[in-house]
Amino acid sequence: MNIRIKTIAYLLLSGFLLKAGFTGVAFTAGGTPGCGMFDIKAGCELGGWMHLILGDIVIGALLAIFLHILAHRSNIKLENNAKTIQKIIEMQEEQRNRRKDYSVFNLKNLFTHMLHILGQVNKSALNFNSVFDQDIDQKERQWRQEILRKEIQNEENRLARVIDTTRNNLLAVNDVLEPEIVNQIEGVCMYLSEIKLEVSSFNRISFPKYQTSKKKIKYVIEKLNTYTIESHSFRKLNEEEFQVYETNSKS
């Protein structure tokens, strides 16, 4: 913008000078006898050159100065706008980093909570099966198993709610997390939402995917632990140490 104004100013000044060059001869014929060409005093009319100097050239110069000042102010305004935009960008980046820091911290807590709930489900299932081996009457056995069955159901519901909360949080921060991290976490959440306990023909409860589920959750937690607030990024994780895929149907 300021370059354009300066260009216009130079063109105007050049135009006035060219005009003066072509019309100066005509102005020099005027003036008052006995007065010098450049005299400015009472009784002396301005000569042609003085008309030229005080008219076109001076006006053109003043106009060029005015446009130069206008261009300078425009340049200052553009610089201030650029600084303001830069500050906005820096504030947005800072806010993005804060959201990312909090999201990683929150996700890590959620998966730690999932790991705890998963352990409780498995423990309740083992306790349910152990009742069969206890030396108690049938009525008490059924009563204890009914209590444990409700505990298992409550823990499963808790796990489902935590998974839903994790997915909702992940959706809210998928613009600040790396796509790779988002896909991995979503994949584990999908796997956990599909796991189910199995009941055998002897009415015993088994949790065939407990170990694999636990490994997947620990993998995500370790991945989130590689995040550093200083760099707002994840470090490389040796994924070969985590066997997060099922090797057989009983894993």
Side-chain angles (χ1 to χ4, degrees):
M1 179 66 181
N2 59 325
I3 297 176
R4 186 178 178 183
I5 294 176
K6 287 182 178 180
T7 303
I8 295 174
Y10 295 146
L11 289 175
L12 288 173
L13 179 59
S14 300
F16 277 109
L17 293 175
L18 288 173
K19 179 183 176 184
F22 284 112
T23 59
V25 177
F27 279 106
T28 56
T32 303
C35 295
M37 185 179 300
F38 298 101
D39 287 342
I40 303 176
K41 59 183 180 179
C44 293
E45 295 181 2
L46 293 177
W49 284 109
M50 288 305 296
H51 274 291
L52 178 64
I53 294 172
L54 296 179
D56 293 346
I57 296 179
V58 172
I59 293 174
L62 291 176
L63 183 59
I65 293 172
F66 170 75
L67 292 175
H68 177 75
I69 294 173
L70 185 63
H72 179 67
R73 290 182 178 179
S74 177
N75 187 43
I76 294 176
K77 186 176 180 180
L78 289 175
E79 290 178 355
N80 291 335
N81 290 340
K83 291 179 180 179
T84 302
I85 293 173
Q86 183 62 30
K87 287 182 179 179
I88 293 174
I89 294 175
E90 291 175 356
M91 289 177 61
Q92 290 179 341
E93 184 64 20
E94 183 179 357
Q95 184 179 15
R96 181 181 181 278
N97 289 334
R98 287 179 179 177
R99 287 182 59 210
K100 188 174 183 180
D101 296 343
Y102 176 76
S103 67
V104 172
F105 174 78
N106 191 35
L107 289 170
K108 186 163 56 177
N109 287 341
L110 288 170
F111 273 94
T112 302
H113 192 33
M114 284 186 204
L115 187 62
H116 172 72
I117 296 174
L118 205 68
Q120 289 297 110
V121 172
N122 186 64
K123 181 179 179 181
S124 296
L126 294 176
N127 290 338
F128 179 90
N129 295 332
S130 67
V131 175
F132 287 103
D133 302 326
Q134 296 177 5
D135 187 16
I136 54 178
D137 57 50
Q138 183 67 18
K139 186 175 181 180
E140 185 176 355
R141 180 179 292 110
Q142 291 177 351
W143 175 74
R144 290 185 181 183
Q145 287 181 332
E146 184 63 25
I147 292 176
L148 290 170
R149 188 179 287 108
K150 289 182 179 179
E151 288 182 0
I152 293 173
Q153 185 177 3
N154 291 334
E155 294 298 331
E156 287 179 324
N157 292 335
R158 283 179 59 198
L159 181 61
R161 288 194 296 270
V162 175
I163 292 174
D164 288 340
T165 301
T166 303
R167 280 178 160 174
N168 291 335
N169 289 353
L170 189 64
L171 182 63
V173 296
N174 63 0
D175 60 320
V176 296
L177 291 177
E178 288 80 349
E180 176 188 357
I181 302 297
V182 174
N183 292 335
Q184 288 175 342
I185 294 177
E186 176 59 30
V188 174
C189 287
M190 183 177 296
Y191 179 86
L192 294 175
S193 65
E194 295 175 351
I195 61 174
K196 292 181 181 180
L197 297 178
E198 296 180 2
V199 181
S200 68
S201 57
F202 299 100
N203 201 30
R204 291 180 180 270
I205 298 177
S206 62
F207 196 171
K209 294 185 178 181
Y210 170 65
Q211 293 298 330
T212 301
S213 301
K214 187 168 65 173
K215 288 178 182 179
K216 286 180 178 292
I217 294 176
K218 286 185 176 181
Y219 166 77
V220 173
I221 293 175
E222 289 300 319
K223 187 74 173 181
L224 295 174
N225 280 335
T226 64
Y227 182 81
T228 57
I229 297 179
E230 292 76 16
S231 63
H232 306 288
S233 61
F234 295 90
R235 296 192 304 271
K236 183 68 175 178
L237 179 66
N238 186 8
E239 300 185 6
E240 295 180 356
E241 297 178 0
F242 298 89
Q243 298 178 358
V244 296
Y245 300 102
E246 295 177 87
T247 56
N248 54 62
S249 59
K250 295 182 180 181
S251 58

